[in-house]
Amino acid sequence: MNSKTNKIFNYALVGVGVVSIVFAVLCFVLNTDFDYGYWVSAEVYGGDAYTGIQNAAAATANRVDGLSENVAMLAKSIRMGLGFILLLAGLLIVLYGIRKMMEEKTNEKQATVEIEE
């Protein structure tokens, strides 16, 4: 590749790394706490059928509420893990791009010194 293509590629690497770091920060900062429901208590009514229906509905609602808390914890864990992966990848890409830029500048200086001699 020629010098101009290398420069564009190196700047693109740094840009991709910065975007990855920004996405990582968003993974850590964004608040995804939502209201998933509430606990329902069992009730007693005058008729047995109403009591049975209420208690079955309460038990179902409480199990769904517990499940939604588990899903929320899993989503938070995945979000944090993805944030760490994006942060590490972004830092590595930025460092690699900067290293390539420095190598390119060194090569340009050496070529200029060789031409002057």
Side-chain angles (χ1 to χ4, degrees):
M1 287 194 279
N2 63 14
S3 177
K4 187 169 186 166
T5 307
N6 282 339
K7 284 182 182 181
I8 293 171
F9 181 73
N10 295 336
Y11 283 116
L13 276 175
V14 172
V16 167
V18 169
V19 168
S20 178
I21 291 170
V22 168
F23 284 153
V25 169
L26 288 176
C27 283
F28 296 131
V29 174
L30 288 181
N31 184 8
T32 57
D33 293 335
F34 298 107
D35 182 24
Y36 297 107
Y38 54 91
W39 187 261
V40 179
S41 61
E43 297 287 334
V44 178
Y45 296 102
D48 289 335
Y50 295 120
T51 302
I53 292 170
Q54 164 62 30
N55 291 340
T60 303
N62 293 336
R63 286 193 173 88
V64 169
D65 183 47
L67 177 65
S68 68
E69 289 175 10
N70 291 341
V71 170
M73 180 61 77
L74 176 64
K76 184 176 182 179
S77 299
I78 290 172
R79 189 184 75 220
M80 294 299 285
L82 180 63
F84 283 118
I85 290 171
L86 285 171
L87 182 63
L88 182 63
L91 289 173
L92 289 174
I93 291 171
V94 167
L95 290 175
Y96 182 73
I98 290 172
R99 180 176 156 238
K100 287 300 219 177
M101 282 182 196
M102 292 173 69
E103 286 177 3
E104 186 70 27
K105 284 194 184 260
T106 304
N107 291 340
E108 286 176 5
K109 285 181 182 178
Q110 287 176 354
T112 305
V113 169
E114 289 174 2
I115 292 173
E116 289 177 358
E117 292 176 353

